Amino acid sequence: MQAAHLIEHIPNIPTLKKFGKVTRVVGLMIESQGPDSSIGDVCKIHVNSPVNGHQIILAEVVGFKDEIVILMPYSSLREISIGCLVEGTGKPLEVKVGPELIGKVLDSMGEPYDGYALPRGLVSVPTEKEPPNPMTRPPITDRLEVGVKAIDGMLTVGSGQRVGIFAGSGVGKSTLLGMIARNTKADLNVIALVGERGREVREFIERDLGPEGLSRSIVIAATSDQPALMRIKAAFTATAIAEYFRDRGLNVMLMMDSVTRVAMAQREIGLAVGEPPATRGYTPSVFAILPTLLERTGTNLHGTITAFYTVLVDGDDMNEPIADAVRGILDGHIVLDRVLANKGQYPAINVLKSVSRLMNHITSPEHVAAASRLRELYYTYSKSEDLINIGAYKRGTSKEIDEAIHYEPLITKFLKQGFMDKVSLEQTVNEIIALSNGGANT
């Protein structure tokens, strides 16, 4: 049986290998005379070091200049010299995937961080694929419980929806992702940590995610010290893994922290290959890569990928280029507010600036009406908050403001939630309907 299995692979073994030679190294890029290859192909650079002996460094074709192949390595440029042999593989990066990966922490190449070999029985999948045909995407009709009251109650998410979490640094993005990963009713979590500080990777896994969350998750991490190509590949590898499980009928939760660092990594590559800087220094390829990455998630004929993408807004500017581009692609956005965080409200979700574009289509009319009423009361209070705080408003002047003053502490109490607290979707809906009807049972 084993021999028959091996015979099947004989036609796939290449009979001709293509080689080239390194001719120049400039900045982040390696220039090679050959081999014949296409954009995205992986090449092997053979390095002979007097210290470490023969090594193979993987690199990806990122461009061409005249007849020169421009490569970017997945690892360090050290020890690469003029004349190093470049072997073309003729195919893009692939990673091995299977249920055996659940509970593991992987790098951008899909290799375990603990140093152990990958389990047997995995299948290879390309990291880059086309998004599903829009005409084969089933409509989103089912709610997905994430266990966070502010989201389930005011910004209900559907199974297969793509949502952005927009915030400045230190406002609680990782903490919110950890809550969602532990509490969600999705079948599996795939978590991509792109450009994180090395210290924060283990902290997120042990503190924010915890053993309960990790037991139903696959984590892909690329720290900030790794090359730009590795940071980008972390996002594409995580998406490919999520697609594998979606195609097997699962409802997958993909969480990526953060899309902004993916864009920054692509900007590094774009500038290195000679692209002109456009908006705030971001190259045109940045705005081309975002939709091709983000559109791969969502629904298909087999399963769903519900995606949460964090966006690090520079200087809390919600209209900076990456935030604006991502907001236009996704199906909703959740804004974390530094002012609310400073007041001790966690999660610091500003429900007035946040929106779920599918909530009205996937929830009951009673739930939608209750959420709309609380939003109106909260907006009325926020509009008059300065006058109320300095004592310039006199009770009885406006019935709407008086009502908003009464409801504001009740709404704030509803939106607050302890880091380890888990609240069911049914409980959240009952609570928000009761609150909108007069504050009973809150």
Side-chain angles (χ1 to χ4, degrees):
M1 288 291 292
Q2 187 175 6
H5 175 70
L6 294 174
I7 289 171
E8 293 177 2
H9 292 279
I10 290 177
N12 298 324
I13 299 175
T15 56
L16 178 66
K17 289 187 176 182
K18 299 177 180 179
F19 292 93
K21 282 190 176 182
V22 174
T23 58
R24 190 180 181 207
V25 177
V26 181
L28 305 174
M29 296 296 155
I30 302 166
E31 295 184 4
S32 169
Q33 189 74 45
D36 292 341
S37 52
S38 304
I39 294 288
D41 282 359
V42 175
C43 292
K44 298 177 182 179
I45 303 176
H46 295 263
V47 177
N48 292 307
S49 166
V51 178
N52 300 315
H54 180 262
Q55 290 179 295
I56 293 179
I57 296 175
L58 296 181
E60 184 173 308
V61 177
V62 295
F64 303 99
K65 185 178 181 181
D66 298 327
E67 296 184 1
I68 299 295
V69 180
I70 302 176
L71 303 158
M72 176 169 274
Y74 290 119
S75 55
S76 171
L77 285 164
R78 285 194 297 270
E79 298 186 334
I80 295 178
S81 59
I82 302 298
C84 284
L85 203 62
V86 181
E87 178 187 346
T89 65
K91 58 183 181 179
L93 179 66
E94 294 182 342
V95 293
K96 293 187 178 296
V97 191
E100 296 82 2
L101 293 182
I102 297 174
K104 293 191 176 295
V105 183
L106 311 174
D107 63 16
S108 302
M109 312 293 286
E111 296 292 333
Y113 263 113
D114 58 15
Y116 290 99
L118 284 169
R120 294 184 178 180
L122 304 179
V123 300
S124 296
V125 298
T127 58
E128 298 195 31
K129 291 174 63 178
E130 292 295 320
N133 186 318
M135 296 306 295
T136 64
R137 287 185 184 264
I140 297 172
T141 56
D142 298 326
R143 297 177 299 177
L144 180 68
E145 179 179 322
V146 299
V148 179
K149 291 197 296 181
I151 298 176
D152 285 340
M154 304 290 285
L155 304 161
T156 311
V157 173
S159 186
Q161 186 172 347
R162 302 160 306 145
V163 182
I165 299 176
F166 295 75
S169 57
V171 188
K173 297 186 300 300
S174 298
T175 302
L176 180 59
L177 288 182
M179 290 178 68
I180 294 171
R182 288 195 314 275
N183 299 339
T184 180
K185 290 295 185 180
D187 298 322
L188 172 71
N189 301 315
V190 179
I191 303 171
L193 303 177
V194 182
E196 287 286 345
R197 304 174 186 90
R199 170 186 62 82
E200 290 183 334
V201 173
R202 186 169 178 177
E203 285 185 3
F204 174 82
I205 293 168
E206 295 182 355
R207 184 185 62 195
D208 296 334
L209 192 58
E212 178 187 357
L214 183 60
S215 66
R216 51 202 295 267
S217 303
I218 300 172
V219 180
I220 298 89
T223 53
S224 59
D225 60 296
Q226 294 182 356
L229 196 56
M230 288 289 276
R231 281 175 268 147
I232 291 177
K233 289 303 174 184
F236 281 88
T237 296
T239 305
I241 292 172
E243 288 172 327
Y244 170 86
F245 288 101
R246 175 182 63 184
D247 292 343
R248 276 143 189 82
L250 297 186
N251 294 320
V252 184
M253 174 75 75
L254 172 65
M255 287 173 277
M256 190 177 295
D257 185 16
S258 68
V259 174
T260 305
R261 295 194 181 104
V262 175
M264 289 177 174
Q266 181 59 38
R267 177 174 62 182
E268 285 184 40
I269 295 174
L271 292 173
V273 298
E275 280 191 80
T279 311
R280 292 201 189 178
Y282 288 103
T283 57
S285 63
V286 173
F287 301 100
I289 200 176
L290 287 175
T292 61
L293 175 64
L294 304 182
E295 286 288 355
R296 287 170 61 180
T297 55
T299 62
N300 74 356
L301 293 174
H302 308 288
T304 66
I305 300 175
T306 306
F308 283 89
Y309 299 98
T310 68
V311 181
L312 185 64
V313 290
D314 199 10
D316 293 333
D317 178 12
M318 290 298 298
N319 294 315
E320 62 97 21
I322 301 304
D324 201 41
V326 171
R327 191 166 52 242
I329 298 169
L330 300 180
D331 308 316
H333 54 272
I334 296 171
V335 177
L336 302 186
D337 196 321
R338 193 177 301 277
V339 174
L340 296 179
N342 292 339
K343 290 165 61 176
Q345 179 176 322
Y346 286 99
I349 297 174
N350 188 325
V351 295
L352 299 179
K353 295 181 179 179
S354 307
V355 66
S356 170
R357 294 177 180 170
L358 295 175
M359 180 175 177
N360 292 351
H361 305 288
I362 59 176
T363 57
S364 66
E366 295 81 10
H367 183 183
V368 172
S372 297
R373 173 164 165 74
L374 296 189
R375 190 185 292 267
E376 290 171 5
L377 290 166
Y378 207 47
Y379 173 74
T380 301
Y381 180 85
S382 65
K383 190 172 61 173
S384 308
E385 186 174 13
D386 290 341
L387 292 176
I388 296 168
N389 289 339
I390 65 174
Y393 174 76
K394 294 183 179 180
R395 286 184 180 269
T397 304
S398 167
K399 179 181 177 182
E400 290 78 12
I401 296 178
D402 289 344
E403 192 175 22
I405 292 172
H406 168 74
Y407 271 94
E408 190 273 335
L410 300 175
I411 297 172
T412 300
K413 180 183 177 183
F414 169 78
L415 295 175
K416 284 185 177 181
Q417 185 172 341
F419 172 58
M420 299 303 296
D421 294 344
K422 181 177 181 179
V423 184
S424 69
L425 177 60
E426 182 181 0
Q427 182 181 345
T428 297
V429 173
N430 291 337
E431 189 174 337
I432 195 173
I433 292 174
L435 178 57
S436 69
N437 289 333
N441 301 323
T442 62

